[in-house]
């Protein structure tokens, strides 16, 4: 039966995309040691030129990444410290693993970051520093500027977002309240040779954004911070220590974040080893082997999940009605990160909600299957990675007395798909390169 | 300067799409008279077999369509009556034009429809009836069942939608309260030969939906109506006359709408002469002549305008960052009808709002242009068809002190683009095949 087969195929395609983004695999694909030369992307480092190799970093996938680095470099590693989320560590040979708070940073995170800074202080001209960043790297490497406490920084972030500031604006302010973000890690490692390996969980893979760009030049200034704070009429809400720092910075009395063109960046390589495109390309390869005409739409899909679902279903319907933009068997793949403006009291995640909204729109179409899932295996506060919907989903739900529009209204996609046994449950995958949507049409 | 050139190209592409959907042109493309044989689509009608030719219909474009039919058939037309919107008429030679209310139907509409019915009563086996339908055809051809008044029907429609009923469910009820929808016009014309020519303004071009399918078999029943009314707990809100009719119908005491397989439909041809696909295909042809790699995504795009904008911009960004799904110079074309959940007090339309949301997302991208406009030349309650945005829109607005997010929050896209002189103003185009979006990336 085609529908069952297509559902199975959708799961296989998703699995292929997650496997491609496995952190260890991403490191091994990009980092190779051959005859004493460490090849990283297009660059090559002659190890005999270095007396020390340090490994630092932060993120939910940093342990897997560090483990792969240990497999490659073994006892050539002098030492290392990485921060990861509680419950995400496993013992490494030469690199110390610190567990810390995520998504809310905590004192344990600061403690681990202090160790990283201490290590970097020992770096010299003959040191190679490998920095491993992945999703969560910003919260997991907290290091507020002197006189500013974690709570202050968090409060500012949350309230700026509430005022309507963009995430880019919030990041400008955050970088100027940190001792490690906005290129300052690169400053700390100077004059060492620094290579940052990045598993990107950010739409568009902007280096300045991922983990707040600790090894990337920061074009923004203290003056920009003050301007943003004025724009959102936010001055009165700021702790005095923060106002003092920003004003002192704007007056040139606090050192700026390192700017584009700064010579410290000439000894720094930033390399994205894994991202949503890697995952969607693996998905594409899989779909082609399954015989689908495939279009990868974008790896930068954003928007309210239930509305994005309508665009995906519009594509599926067009294939059926006119054979455009590709003929069936057709597959559309998209990646990125949608959002959900929660209004109901149900349980769910952006991927499950997208699948639920899609189910409503494809109701009755015999041979359409839509899967949406997070590559990290987690979707919202649920144990599911996402869900899978097809043209029969709504009818099957009706037989159980479930009204899909009601569940959607309540943002209760989790219980809807749980009742139908249509949740996609993978457990934590160890990687995070945002979400994948797969639309199959036969 | 590329940006200016691209903006000009976007306008040209839109113009090409509107021209292709011109009602008169659509009729002439599909209806041809050669040596006494009337060719309509794949069918051919030997005119000497017919003693009478009637032309009926309703819609905002019905006058242009009827005019084209008069050009083709001239004094072979025995008589005709069409309903159109106030201000949309112009005198015809042999076909009577009635102006009536739209979007709210009125007594003038009923009057015109009564004339249509009277004409159809004169139709016999030797009569050819041409029925011309276009956007607004449902409201412009009102004919409530005996004992039911216009106000009752409207009230039911509005309140059912408010209760969360789908437009399909509302149509089921509406058809069973009408003497002309849901295939009943075909019944009235029987045993004449009936050809319905349709300019579709409906997502997916479903014949049962366009103008409530007056010449199409209706699979829904009076029993379905009662079920829908129970589903939305709506019985108490219904006028007694409506309840009586629906219950009598369900009990078999009122004639059902004609069903699929009914022999009356064997003498009826329904032909879509123009739709969104025609417009998007013309747009595609134009873009290709301009040198763009072009992908027509779908003609069935639905969803909240500002969220759909994010998907379009995700496609543009992907072209820039990875050359996918097509390489630049790239053009994406979409069609359909988005929606706006109005929360602010501004002025605008779905197309202008889509363009405004897109402008925010493409801010700073040098060579991206997005145009969104209604093919009828009207977008919401404004004098604009839509608007045009590019990577400089936000900066130009800032120089005028305009905050795009504020205007978006107020649903005030009209005044935003008016200030920038970036509205697309065409005046009424005479056609309506929904909206077009054009995304150009160089």
């Amino acid at each position: 039966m085609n529908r069952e087969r297509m559902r199975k195929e959708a799961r296989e395609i998703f699995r292929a995309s997650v496997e491609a983004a496995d952190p260890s695999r991403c490191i091994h694909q990009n980092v190779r040691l051959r005859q004493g030369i460490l090849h990283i992307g297009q660059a090559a480092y002659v190890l005999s030129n270095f007396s020390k190799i340090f490994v630092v970093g932060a993120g939910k996938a940093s342990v897997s990444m560090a483990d792969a680095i240990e497999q490659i470099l073994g006892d050539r590693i002098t030492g290392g410290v990485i921060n990861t989320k509680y419950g995400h560590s496993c013992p490494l040979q030469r690199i110390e693993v610190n567990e810390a708070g995520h998504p809310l940073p905590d004192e344990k995170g600061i403690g681990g970051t202090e160790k990283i800074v201490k290590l970097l202080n020992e770096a010299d001209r003959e040191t190679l520093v490998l920095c491993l960043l992945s999703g969560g790297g910003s919260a997991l490497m907290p290091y507020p500027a002197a006189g500013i406490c974690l709570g202050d920084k968090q409060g500012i972030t949350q309230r700026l977002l509430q005022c309507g500031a963009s995430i880019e604006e919030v990041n400008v302010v955050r970088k100027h309240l940190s001792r490690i973000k906005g290129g300052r890690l690169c400053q700390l490692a100077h004059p060492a040779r620094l290579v940052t390996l990045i598993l990107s969980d950010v739409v568009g893979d902007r280096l300045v954004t991922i983990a707040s760009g600790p090894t990337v030049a920061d074009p923004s200034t203290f003056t920009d911070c003050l301007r943003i704070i004025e724009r959102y009429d936010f001055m009165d809400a700021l702790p005095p220590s923060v106002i003092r720092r920003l004003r002192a910075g704007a007056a040139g009395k606090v050192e700026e974040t390192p700017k584009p063109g700064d010579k410290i960046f000439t000894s720094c390589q930033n390399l994205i080893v894994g991202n949503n495109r890697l995952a969607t390309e693996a998905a594409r390869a899989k779909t082609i082997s399954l015989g689908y005409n495939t279009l990868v739409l974008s790896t930068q899909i954003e928007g309210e999940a239930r509305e994005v679902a309508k665009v995906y279903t519009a594509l599926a319907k067009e294939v059926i009605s006119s054979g455009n933009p590709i003929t069936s068997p057709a597959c559309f793949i998209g990646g990125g990160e949608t959002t959900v403006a929660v209004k109901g009291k149900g349980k769910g995640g952006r991927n499950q909600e997208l699948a639920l909204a899609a189910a409503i729109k494809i109701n009755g179409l015999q041979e359409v299957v839509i899967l949406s899932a997070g590559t990290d295996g987690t979707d919202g506060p649920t144990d599911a990675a996402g869900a899978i919907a097809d043209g029969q989903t709504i009818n099957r739900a009706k037989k159980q007395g479930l009204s899909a529009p009601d569940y959607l209204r309540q943002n209760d996609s989790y219980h809807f798909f749980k009742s139908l046994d249509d949740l996609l449950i993978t457990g934590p995958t160890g990687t995070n390169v945002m979400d994948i949507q797969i639309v199959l049409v036969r």
Side-chain angles (χ1 to χ4, degrees), chain A:
Chain A
M1 183 185 173
N2 248 345
R3 192 170 59 85
E4 283 308 323
R5 185 176 126 213
M6 289 168 71
R7 291 168 63 93
K8 189 165 156 283
E9 288 172 340
R11 287 170 188 269
E12 284 170 18
I13 296 163
F14 177 66
R15 200 176 308 126
S17 71
V18 170
E19 281 169 9
D22 175 73
S24 176
R25 180 169 164 171
C26 290
I27 292 292
H28 284 290
Q29 292 273 339
N30 287 277
V31 182
R32 285 203 173 88
L33 180 62
R34 283 199 206 113
Q35 300 171 322
I37 298 174
L38 189 65
H39 298 266
I40 302 183
Q42 302 300 311
Y45 302 90
V46 179
L47 289 191
S48 58
N49 290 342
F50 299 100
S51 59
K52 287 179 284 191
I53 300 180
F54 293 153
V55 182
V56 299
K60 286 187 273 177
S62 56
V63 176
S64 299
M65 295 171 85
D67 187 41
I69 292 293
E70 283 200 345
Q71 286 169 28
I72 296 165
L73 288 173
D75 57 11
R76 292 172 196 251
I77 297 170
T78 316
V81 181
I82 56 166
N83 288 356
T84 195
K85 186 176 174 173
Y86 292 116
H88 280 55
S89 75
C90 66
L92 297 176
Q93 299 295 320
R94 308 185 68 86
I95 302 166
E96 184 184 335
V97 181
N98 284 290
E99 294 198 335
H102 178 275
L104 286 184
D106 63 7
E107 292 299 327
K108 288 272 288 172
I110 295 184
T113 310
E114 278 170 347
K115 287 184 194 169
I116 290 173
V117 172
K118 201 172 155 210
L119 197 67
L120 294 177
N121 283 337
E122 294 169 25
D124 58 23
R125 225 167 259 286
E126 289 182 2
T127 306
L128 176 63
V129 178
L130 302 179
C131 176
L132 312 174
L133 299 178
S134 58
S138 192
L140 289 167
M141 198 160 50
Y143 201 31
I148 293 169
C149 69
L150 259 186
D152 287 347
K153 238 180 116 178
Q154 281 167 35
I156 294 167
T157 297
Q158 282 171 11
R159 279 176 295 165
L160 264 177
L161 287 172
Q162 282 164 6
C163 291
S166 68
I167 187 70
E168 287 78 17
E169 290 173 323
V170 171
N171 277 339
V172 166
V173 177
R174 280 205 285 211
K175 285 179 184 180
H176 285 86
L177 300 178
S178 166
R179 280 192 274 190
I180 199 155
K181 311 293 170 60
R184 291 199 195 269
L185 192 151
C186 187
Q187 223 165 21
L188 291 166
H190 191 75
R193 190 86 212 170
L194 174 62
V195 181
T196 302
L197 302 170
I198 302 161
L199 194 67
S200 165
D201 71 331
V202 166
V203 172
D205 298 333
R206 293 185 67 216
L207 293 177
V208 291
T209 307
I210 301 169
S212 300
T215 63
V216 183
D218 174 31
S220 70
T221 65
F222 279 105
T223 310
D224 292 332
C225 294
L226 291 176
R227 215 174 283 142
I228 289 164
I229 281 160
E230 276 159 26
R231 182 175 307 153
Y232 297 99
D233 211 2
F234 204 64
M235 199 59 87
D236 294 344
L238 287 180
S241 59
V242 171
I243 298 181
R244 263 199 308 277
R245 177 176 170 83
L246 296 180
R247 287 203 172 132
K253 290 174 193 158
V254 175
E255 195 192 9
E256 259 293 354
T257 52
K259 295 283 163 277
D262 192 315
K263 68 175 180 359
I264 62 166
F265 295 109
T266 57
S267 56
C268 173
Q269 177 193 5
N270 285 289
L271 181 69
I272 291 175
V273 296
N275 58 7
N276 191 266
R277 173 139 294 276
L278 190 71
T280 51
E281 282 302 323
R284 162 150 56 186
K286 183 70 188 174
T287 60
I288 289 170
S289 79
L290 292 169
Y292 286 92
N293 302 309
T294 302
L295 202 59
V296 177
L297 296 166
S298 179
T299 62
Q300 305 187 38
I301 302 281
E302 297 177 289
E304 183 70 18
R306 64 181 69 196
E307 306 301 323
V308 172
K310 292 177 189 168
V311 179
Y312 279 116
T313 55
L315 288 161
K317 288 178 182 176
E318 191 67 43
V319 170
I320 294 169
S321 65
S322 80
N324 279 288
I326 43 177
T327 53
S328 78
C331 174
F332 299 100
I333 297 170
E337 199 166 286
T338 64
T339 42
V340 172
V342 177
K343 288 176 182 163
K345 292 178 175 170
K347 186 175 175 180
R350 55 185 184 261
N351 289 288
Q352 294 161 70
E353 182 145 318
L354 193 154
L356 176 53
I360 293 170
K361 298 302 280 186
I362 57 171
N363 183 24
L365 300 180
Q366 281 308 309
E367 299 189 339
V368 178
V369 167
I370 297 186
L371 178 153
S372 184
T375 55
D376 61 354
T378 319
D379 186 38
T382 74
D383 60 2
I388 188 161
D390 63 47
Q392 287 307 306
T393 299
I394 299 300
N395 283 336
R396 286 172 49 228
K398 270 188 189 156
K399 280 182 196 155
Q400 293 194 25
L402 309 177
S403 156
D406 286 351
Y407 276 82
L408 185 58
R409 215 169 289 128
Q410 286 299 325
N411 301 111
D412 202 12
S413 49
Y414 178 77
H415 291 116
F416 180 85
F417 285 112
K418 192 175 171 68
S419 301
L420 294 177
D421 202 18
D422 285 344
L423 289 171
L424 195 73
I425 295 183
T426 61
T429 61
T431 189
N432 181 12
V433 289
M434 303 187 289
D435 304 331
I436 300 270
Q437 284 92 41
I438 299 158
V439 181
L440 302 179
V441 188
R442 275 196 185 268

